[in-house]
Amino acid sequence: MSNDYDKIIRENLQSLIEPLIRKVLEMEVVTVENLTTKLQYTLEREADFLQKITVANGDTFALHIEFQSANDPLMPERMLQYCGLIYRAHRLPVLQYVFYIGKHKLNMSEVLSMPLFDYRYRLVDLRQFPYQTFLESDNPDEVVLAVLCNFELEDGRVVISKILRKLKELNTSELKLQKNIRQLEVLAKIKDLQKIVLQAEQTMALTYDMETDIRFKQGKKAGIEKGIEKGIEKGIEQMAISFLKEGVEIAIISKATGLSTEALLKLQKAALPEK
C-alpha cells in the first residue's frame, strides 16, 4: 500500500480486522494473538496486519494481511519476501491475503512461478462484495467496511446516507459514533467519496463539536474554579482520561485538549493498566 495510507490504515482498521476475517475470509476463529509486524533480518519490512490464528479445526498459523489501494506489478515478489521473513521470525505456517481497496480495476497477479516452485498468496477484491454484507451487521465497526464494497447500481450518496444512519442507530455513545465516522471518512477517501461523507454528515447534523461536550466543559470548569494553572491541567487530564476509557482515538483527544500524544499515552498507561 502507498505510504499515504499505511499509517492511516493501521490506525483505523485494527478493530475491523476480525469482521474481515469472519465475513470475507470465512474463518471460524477460536483464538487470535497479535504478532510483531516489524520483520528485520538485514532487510526490514513492516506488515499491515500479522496475527497468530487458531481456527475451529485446531490449525494454527500466522495470518498476514496487506491492504492495497493501487495495482503493484511487484506484489507477488513483495508477498514472497514477507512470507520468508514471517516464517523465519515466528516459525509458523504462513497464510497471506492482500485486500484490494483501490478505485481502479484490479490487475495484479497472485502467482510467482519459478523453475523449482510456484508461490501464491490470496488476492481479495473487497470491492466485489455487496455493501449489504457489512451494512446489515449489528456491530458498528463492521458497518464502516460497507463503504469499501460494491454499491452495485445505487448512488453513492444514498449508500453513504444508509451507512451513517446505521452508525447513528447502533452507537449509544456519541464518542464511539464519532470514532466510526472518522474511520468512514478515511476509507471513503480511498474511493473519492470523502466529500459525499462530509456533506451527508452536515445534512444529518452528525458533526461533533468537542467544545460542547459536557465532560470537556466540566474539565475546564474544574481547573478554572481552582484559579491556578495546576487545577486547569488536572481538569483537562481528567477529561482526557474519560475519553480514553470511551476508546476515543488519541489523535482526536490531543486535538481537543492540547495534550501531546506522549502525555496521553502516559495517562492511558496509568488509567488503563493492562490486565
Side-chain angles (χ1 to χ4, degrees):
M1 172 167 269
S2 68
N3 291 333
D4 291 341
Y5 288 110
D6 273 346
K7 185 176 180 181
I8 294 174
I9 287 295
R10 290 192 186 102
E11 288 180 352
N12 286 274
L13 290 190
Q14 183 63 54
S15 62
L16 309 183
I17 285 298
E18 184 179 340
L20 282 172
I21 292 173
R22 288 190 295 102
K23 291 198 169 183
V24 178
L25 304 186
E26 298 182 341
M27 294 182 184
E28 190 176 345
V29 178
V30 177
T31 64
V32 178
E33 177 186 341
N34 287 330
L35 298 173
T36 177
T37 57
K38 289 187 177 179
L39 308 164
Q40 183 173 6
Y41 289 93
T42 305
L43 175 71
E44 180 176 324
R45 289 287 183 270
E46 184 166 5
D48 281 348
F49 294 95
L50 182 59
Q51 296 175 322
K52 181 179 178 181
I53 299 288
T54 299
V55 292
N57 66 5
D59 289 345
T60 298
F61 51 87
L63 177 64
H64 170 214
I65 296 176
E66 292 290 312
F67 287 87
Q68 191 69 16
S69 60
N71 287 292
D72 183 354
L74 299 179
M75 202 69 210
E77 288 91 330
R78 285 175 53 197
M79 294 300 287
L80 175 58
Q81 197 171 62
Y82 274 122
C83 185
L85 292 172
I86 291 168
Y87 181 77
R88 185 170 181 181
H90 300 291
R91 296 294 176 181
L92 289 169
V94 182
L95 187 58
Q96 295 175 288
Y97 288 87
V98 170
F99 285 93
Y100 181 67
I101 54 178
K103 56 186 176 182
H104 299 297
K105 182 178 179 180
L106 173 61
N107 61 16
M108 288 186 292
S109 172
E110 55 187 339
V111 177
L112 181 62
S113 296
M114 298 186 183
L116 296 180
F117 77 97
D118 288 332
Y119 163 77
R120 179 187 295 272
Y121 68 95
R122 298 182 182 182
L123 187 57
V124 178
D125 189 347
L126 203 57
R127 305 166 312 151
Q128 298 304 311
F129 283 78
Y131 75 87
Q132 294 90 344
T133 303
F134 297 105
L135 182 70
E136 295 170 0
S137 171
D138 290 329
N139 181 349
D141 287 342
E142 294 186 24
V143 173
V144 171
L145 291 169
V147 73
L148 293 176
C149 298
N150 187 358
F151 292 0
E152 298 170 336
L153 300 178
E154 289 192 61
D155 187 280
R157 289 168 292 188
V158 174
V159 177
I160 293 298
S161 294
K162 287 182 181 180
I163 295 171
L164 286 169
R165 281 197 297 271
K166 189 64 179 285
L167 289 175
K168 187 174 181 180
E169 172 191 328
L170 293 176
N171 277 299
T172 56
S173 165
E174 180 70 23
L175 294 173
K176 182 62 166 64
L177 172 61
Q178 293 307 311
K179 178 180 179 180
N180 285 139
I181 289 176
R182 179 86 176 271
Q183 291 174 327
L184 181 64
E185 291 172 359
V186 170
L187 298 182
K189 185 176 180 182
I190 296 170
K191 294 176 67 175
D192 290 335
L193 293 171
Q194 192 176 47
K195 185 176 180 180
I196 292 176
V197 171
L198 295 174
Q199 289 173 341
E201 287 175 34
Q202 293 175 348
T203 301
M204 299 171 67
L206 293 176
T207 303
Y208 183 56
D209 184 1
M210 279 275 191
E211 291 283 348
T212 65
D213 187 275
I214 293 174
R215 279 171 298 183
F216 186 87
K217 291 192 288 188
Q218 286 176 339
K220 280 190 171 181
K221 186 173 182 291
I224 292 169
E225 285 178 346
K226 290 182 180 180
I228 54 174
E229 186 177 349
K230 188 70 175 177
I232 295 174
E233 292 175 358
K234 185 66 175 177
I236 291 177
E237 284 182 1
Q238 289 302 316
M239 181 270 296
I241 289 171
S242 295
F243 286 152
L244 288 168
K245 289 180 178 178
E246 286 280 355
V248 180
E249 294 176 25
I250 284 179
I252 296 176
I253 302 174
S254 178
K255 184 177 179 180
T257 63
L259 296 175
S260 67
T261 299
E262 184 179 0
L264 288 170
L265 288 172
K266 288 181 180 178
L267 283 177
Q268 185 180 52
K269 187 176 181 180
L272 304 171
E274 294 183 2
K275 296 181 178 180

